[in-house]
Amino acid sequence: SVQLDSFTKVKEMIDKMHSELQAQQAEEVKFKAYCETELNTNEKTTYEKSEHKKDLEAEISRLESLIAKLQEEIAAAKAQIAETQVEIKKASQAREAENAEFQTTVADQRATQSILNKALAKLKDFYQKNIGNKVSLLQKHSQEPPVKFNAYKT
């Protein structure tokens, strides 16, 4: 019975060890399932994040090209503005020169009008006093040609 009792103890220990191993195996199966689930979740998240990263990189590339294009357009617009300002300045200078020439012409015309008005006033005064008629009559009577011509002989 001592042998049987020890055999029973060994059997109980083996059964206890077997149940512990089965419990440990069940925990390991649960842990393995958890790890696989976590690994799958991690791979899925990694895939989603890498796809999101690719999308963001594509968007960054698109925006960088847009920025470069817009910078070129801004530079072209600035150059056009500078060119327009130069043209405006040239046109302004041309207008000033034309205006100066016009003002000179107007001043000359006014001076000419003034001179002509004075001459007209003197002529009116001269002819209203009948000095002009007397002078013209005197000139007609007293004028002789400087050279007298003889009759033409044929």
Side-chain angles (χ1 to χ4, degrees):
S1 120
V2 172
Q3 261 186 350
L4 196 57
D5 197 31
S6 23
F7 185 69
T8 314
K9 281 184 182 179
V10 170
K11 189 175 178 193
E12 282 177 11
M13 285 173 68
I14 289 176
D15 285 341
K16 183 180 175 187
M17 188 189 267
H18 181 61
S19 66
E20 285 176 2
L21 285 174
Q22 281 183 338
Q24 194 177 18
Q25 183 182 13
E27 283 179 23
E28 286 180 4
V29 167
K30 281 184 190 177
F31 186 69
K32 182 182 177 198
Y34 169 76
C35 285
E36 286 176 348
T37 304
E38 285 299 309
L39 184 64
N40 288 339
T41 303
N42 192 6
E43 286 178 353
K44 183 179 176 187
T45 304
T46 302
Y47 176 76
E48 289 173 354
K49 296 293 181 182
S50 67
E51 288 298 311
H52 185 64
K53 180 183 172 190
K54 287 179 187 175
D55 292 343
L56 290 176
E57 287 172 345
E59 182 69 12
I60 287 170
S61 175
R62 185 186 70 78
L63 291 174
E64 285 174 345
S65 66
L66 178 64
I67 287 171
K69 177 185 170 194
L70 291 176
Q71 285 176 336
E72 288 175 6
E73 289 177 4
I74 289 171
K78 284 182 179 179
Q80 188 175 9
I81 288 170
E83 182 180 325
T84 302
Q85 287 176 340
V86 167
E87 289 176 10
I88 288 172
K89 197 169 193 175
K90 286 180 181 177
S92 177
Q93 289 172 347
R95 275 193 304 278
E96 287 174 7
E98 289 171 0
N99 186 31
E101 182 181 334
F102 174 75
Q103 293 301 330
T104 303
T105 303
V106 168
D108 289 347
Q109 288 176 352
R110 286 185 180 151
T112 303
Q113 282 179 342
S114 173
I115 291 169
L116 289 175
N117 284 333
K118 287 178 185 177
L120 181 63
K122 286 186 180 186
L123 286 174
K124 281 183 182 178
D125 184 43
F126 182 76
Y127 283 106
Q128 283 177 353
K129 293 180 181 176
N130 278 330
I131 297 173
N133 288 336
K134 293 175 185 175
V135 169
S136 67
L137 289 174
L138 286 175
Q139 283 179 351
K140 285 183 183 176
H141 293 292
S142 64
Q143 247 184 353
E144 282 187 32
V147 178
K148 290 189 176 188
F149 292 103
N150 297 328
Y152 183 71
K153 299 175 186 176
T154 54

